[in-house]
mmCIF file of all heavy atoms in Angstrom:
data_model
loop_
_atom_site.group_PDB
_atom_site.id
_atom_site.type_symbol
_atom_site.label_atom_id
_atom_site.label_comp_id
_atom_site.label_asym_id
_atom_site.label_seq_id
_atom_site.Cartn_x
_atom_site.Cartn_y
_atom_site.Cartn_z
ATOM 1 N N ALA A 141 24.004 44.449 14.868
ATOM 2 C CA ALA A 141 23.556 45.354 13.816
ATOM 3 C C ALA A 141 23.093 44.602 12.573
ATOM 4 O O ALA A 141 22.310 45.111 11.782
ATOM 5 C CB ALA A 141 24.677 46.326 13.442
ATOM 6 N N ASP A 142 23.594 43.378 12.385
ATOM 7 C CA ASP A 142 23.267 42.591 11.207
ATOM 8 C C ASP A 142 21.921 41.895 11.407
ATOM 9 O O ASP A 142 21.780 41.054 12.306
ATOM 10 C CB ASP A 142 24.363 41.554 10.977
ATOM 11 C CG ASP A 142 24.127 40.709 9.742
ATOM 12 O OD1 ASP A 142 23.119 40.938 9.046
ATOM 13 O OD2 ASP A 142 24.952 39.812 9.480
ATOM 14 N N PRO A 143 20.903 42.231 10.600
ATOM 15 C CA PRO A 143 19.585 41.603 10.781
ATOM 16 C C PRO A 143 19.585 40.108 10.488
ATOM 17 O O PRO A 143 18.657 39.395 10.880
ATOM 18 C CB PRO A 143 18.695 42.353 9.797
ATOM 19 C CG PRO A 143 19.626 42.853 8.747
ATOM 20 C CD PRO A 143 20.901 43.187 9.480
ATOM 21 N N PHE A 144 20.626 39.615 9.794
ATOM 22 C CA PHE A 144 20.675 38.204 9.443
ATOM 23 C C PHE A 144 21.443 37.376 10.456
ATOM 24 O O PHE A 144 21.499 36.154 10.347
ATOM 25 C CB PHE A 144 21.306 38.031 8.059
ATOM 26 C CG PHE A 144 20.655 38.872 7.003
ATOM 27 C CD1 PHE A 144 21.366 39.867 6.346
ATOM 28 C CD2 PHE A 144 19.326 38.693 6.673
ATOM 29 C CE1 PHE A 144 20.765 40.652 5.380
ATOM 30 C CE2 PHE A 144 18.710 39.472 5.710
ATOM 31 C CZ PHE A 144 19.428 40.454 5.060
ATOM 32 N N GLU A 145 22.047 38.039 11.441
ATOM 33 C CA GLU A 145 22.793 37.309 12.448
ATOM 34 C C GLU A 145 21.851 36.393 13.220
ATOM 35 O O GLU A 145 20.741 36.771 13.580
ATOM 36 C CB GLU A 145 23.469 38.275 13.419
ATOM 37 C CG GLU A 145 24.384 37.588 14.441
ATOM 38 C CD GLU A 145 25.092 38.581 15.333
ATOM 39 O OE1 GLU A 145 25.077 39.783 15.013
ATOM 40 O OE2 GLU A 145 25.654 38.155 16.355
ATOM 41 N N GLY A 146 22.299 35.171 13.456
ATOM 42 C CA GLY A 146 21.480 34.217 14.198
ATOM 43 C C GLY A 146 20.696 33.269 13.316
ATOM 44 O O GLY A 146 20.103 32.306 13.829
ATOM 45 N N ILE A 147 20.664 33.503 11.999
ATOM 46 C CA ILE A 147 20.012 32.543 11.109
ATOM 47 C C ILE A 147 20.929 31.326 10.983
ATOM 48 O O ILE A 147 22.083 31.459 10.563
ATOM 49 C CB ILE A 147 19.756 33.139 9.714
ATOM 50 C CG1 ILE A 147 18.774 34.315 9.810
ATOM 51 C CG2 ILE A 147 19.205 32.075 8.761
ATOM 52 C CD1 ILE A 147 18.495 35.004 8.487
ATOM 53 N N PRO A 148 20.464 30.137 11.368
ATOM 54 C CA PRO A 148 21.338 28.959 11.354
ATOM 55 C C PRO A 148 21.931 28.707 9.973
ATOM 56 O O PRO A 148 21.192 28.648 8.980
ATOM 57 C CB PRO A 148 20.405 27.817 11.773
ATOM 58 C CG PRO A 148 19.314 28.492 12.531
ATOM 59 C CD PRO A 148 19.116 29.817 11.862
ATOM 60 N N PRO A 149 23.255 28.564 9.869
ATOM 61 C CA PRO A 149 23.873 28.362 8.553
ATOM 62 C C PRO A 149 23.502 27.043 7.898
ATOM 63 O O PRO A 149 23.659 26.888 6.687
ATOM 64 C CB PRO A 149 25.379 28.429 8.869
ATOM 65 C CG PRO A 149 25.486 28.083 10.319
ATOM 66 C CD PRO A 149 24.248 28.638 10.959
ATOM 67 N N HIS A 150 23.002 26.078 8.685
ATOM 68 C CA HIS A 150 22.669 24.775 8.116
ATOM 69 C C HIS A 150 21.194 24.623 7.776
ATOM 70 O O HIS A 150 20.747 23.523 7.430
ATOM 71 C CB HIS A 150 23.085 23.663 9.090
ATOM 72 C CG HIS A 150 24.563 23.602 9.328
ATOM 73 N ND1 HIS A 150 25.467 23.354 8.314
ATOM 74 C CD2 HIS A 150 25.298 23.787 10.448
ATOM 75 C CE1 HIS A 150 26.702 23.375 8.808
ATOM 76 N NE2 HIS A 150 26.613 23.639 10.098
ATOM 77 N N LEU A 151 20.440 25.733 7.859
ATOM 78 C CA LEU A 151 19.043 25.654 7.420
ATOM 79 C C LEU A 151 18.977 25.263 5.948
ATOM 80 O O LEU A 151 19.835 25.678 5.158
ATOM 81 C CB LEU A 151 18.362 27.015 7.579
ATOM 82 C CG LEU A 151 17.663 27.361 8.891
ATOM 83 C CD1 LEU A 151 17.025 28.739 8.762
ATOM 84 C CD2 LEU A 151 16.622 26.333 9.252
ATOM 85 N N PRO A 152 17.985 24.473 5.549
ATOM 86 C CA PRO A 152 17.785 24.248 4.110
ATOM 87 C C PRO A 152 17.656 25.592 3.404
ATOM 88 O O PRO A 152 17.147 26.563 3.985
ATOM 89 C CB PRO A 152 16.476 23.451 4.066
ATOM 90 C CG PRO A 152 16.426 22.750 5.387
ATOM 91 C CD PRO A 152 17.025 23.715 6.366
ATOM 92 N N ALA A 153 18.100 25.655 2.180
ATOM 93 C CA ALA A 153 18.198 26.926 1.462
ATOM 94 C C ALA A 153 16.874 27.666 1.382
ATOM 95 O O ALA A 153 16.820 28.885 1.545
ATOM 96 C CB ALA A 153 18.753 26.692 0.063
ATOM 97 N N LEU A 154 15.773 26.950 1.126
ATOM 98 C CA LEU A 154 14.483 27.620 0.997
ATOM 99 C C LEU A 154 14.048 28.225 2.335
ATOM 100 O O LEU A 154 13.555 29.352 2.390
ATOM 101 C CB LEU A 154 13.428 26.638 0.492
ATOM 102 C CG LEU A 154 12.063 27.235 0.138
ATOM 103 C CD1 LEU A 154 12.206 28.351 -0.895
ATOM 104 C CD2 LEU A 154 11.123 26.147 -0.376
ATOM 105 N N ALA A 155 14.256 27.493 3.426
ATOM 106 C CA ALA A 155 13.922 28.020 4.750
ATOM 107 C C ALA A 155 14.799 29.224 5.084
ATOM 108 O O ALA A 155 14.338 30.214 5.657
ATOM 109 C CB ALA A 155 14.084 26.936 5.811
ATOM 110 N N ALA A 156 16.074 29.144 4.708
ATOM 111 C CA ALA A 156 16.992 30.261 4.955
ATOM 112 C C ALA A 156 16.577 31.489 4.151
ATOM 113 O O ALA A 156 16.660 32.623 4.637
ATOM 114 C CB ALA A 156 18.424 29.858 4.594
ATOM 115 N N ALA A 157 16.115 31.275 2.919
ATOM 116 C CA ALA A 157 15.677 32.395 2.083
ATOM 117 C C ALA A 157 14.449 33.067 2.690
ATOM 118 O O ALA A 157 14.369 34.301 2.765
ATOM 119 C CB ALA A 157 15.371 31.896 0.667
ATOM 120 N N GLN A 158 13.488 32.257 3.132
ATOM 121 C CA GLN A 158 12.271 32.823 3.715
ATOM 122 C C GLN A 158 12.578 33.598 4.992
ATOM 123 O O GLN A 158 12.056 34.699 5.205
ATOM 124 C CB GLN A 158 11.261 31.701 4.002
ATOM 125 C CG GLN A 158 10.721 31.053 2.749
ATOM 126 C CD GLN A 158 9.619 30.051 3.027
ATOM 127 O OE1 GLN A 158 8.684 29.915 2.250
ATOM 128 N NE2 GLN A 158 9.725 29.332 4.129
ATOM 129 N N LYS A 159 13.427 33.038 5.854
ATOM 130 C CA LYS A 159 13.777 33.721 7.101
ATOM 131 C C LYS A 159 14.566 34.989 6.796
ATOM 132 O O LYS A 159 14.369 36.024 7.450
ATOM 133 C CB LYS A 159 14.582 32.785 8.017
ATOM 134 C CG LYS A 159 14.892 33.388 9.381
ATOM 135 C CD LYS A 159 15.414 32.346 10.339
ATOM 136 C CE LYS A 159 14.337 31.429 10.813
ATOM 137 N NZ LYS A 159 13.343 32.092 11.694
ATOM 138 N N SER A 160 15.445 34.949 5.810
ATOM 139 C CA SER A 160 16.240 36.122 5.454
ATOM 140 C C SER A 160 15.363 37.257 4.951
ATOM 141 O O SER A 160 15.556 38.426 5.308
ATOM 142 C CB SER A 160 17.283 35.761 4.393
ATOM 143 O OG SER A 160 18.202 34.804 4.879
ATOM 144 N N LEU A 161 14.382 36.927 4.113
ATOM 145 C CA LEU A 161 13.483 37.946 3.588
ATOM 146 C C LEU A 161 12.607 38.531 4.692
ATOM 147 O O LEU A 161 12.325 39.727 4.707
ATOM 148 C CB LEU A 161 12.622 37.366 2.468
ATOM 149 C CG LEU A 161 13.388 37.026 1.180
ATOM 150 C CD1 LEU A 161 12.500 36.244 0.225
ATOM 151 C CD2 LEU A 161 13.903 38.290 0.508
ATOM 152 N N ASP A 162 12.206 37.701 5.634
ATOM 153 C CA ASP A 162 11.424 38.187 6.769
ATOM 154 C C ASP A 162 12.251 39.141 7.617
ATOM 155 O O ASP A 162 11.783 40.228 7.990
ATOM 156 C CB ASP A 162 10.945 37.007 7.615
ATOM 157 C CG ASP A 162 10.156 37.459 8.832
ATOM 158 O OD1 ASP A 162 9.088 38.060 8.652
ATOM 159 O OD2 ASP A 162 10.611 37.222 9.974
ATOM 160 N N ARG A 163 13.505 38.754 7.888
ATOM 161 C CA ARG A 163 14.388 39.625 8.668
ATOM 162 C C ARG A 163 14.636 40.938 7.935
ATOM 163 O O ARG A 163 14.666 42.008 8.543
ATOM 164 C CB ARG A 163 15.724 38.914 8.918
ATOM 165 C CG ARG A 163 15.652 37.699 9.834
ATOM 166 C CD ARG A 163 15.666 38.108 11.293
ATOM 167 N NE ARG A 163 15.886 36.960 12.147
ATOM 168 C CZ ARG A 163 17.078 36.519 12.529
ATOM 169 N NH1 ARG A 163 18.173 37.148 12.131
ATOM 170 N NH2 ARG A 163 17.185 35.469 13.315
ATOM 171 N N ALA A 164 14.819 40.844 6.618
ATOM 172 C CA ALA A 164 15.084 42.041 5.827
ATOM 173 C C ALA A 164 13.894 42.994 5.867
ATOM 174 O O ALA A 164 14.049 44.210 6.003
ATOM 175 C CB ALA A 164 15.411 41.657 4.380
#
Side-chain angles (χ1 to χ4, degrees):
D142 182 1
F144 307 117
E145 185 177 347
I147 296 178
H150 296 299
L151 270 182
L154 187 56
Q158 293 186 145
K159 184 168 286 292
S160 297
L161 291 170
D162 178 63
R163 292 278 192 89

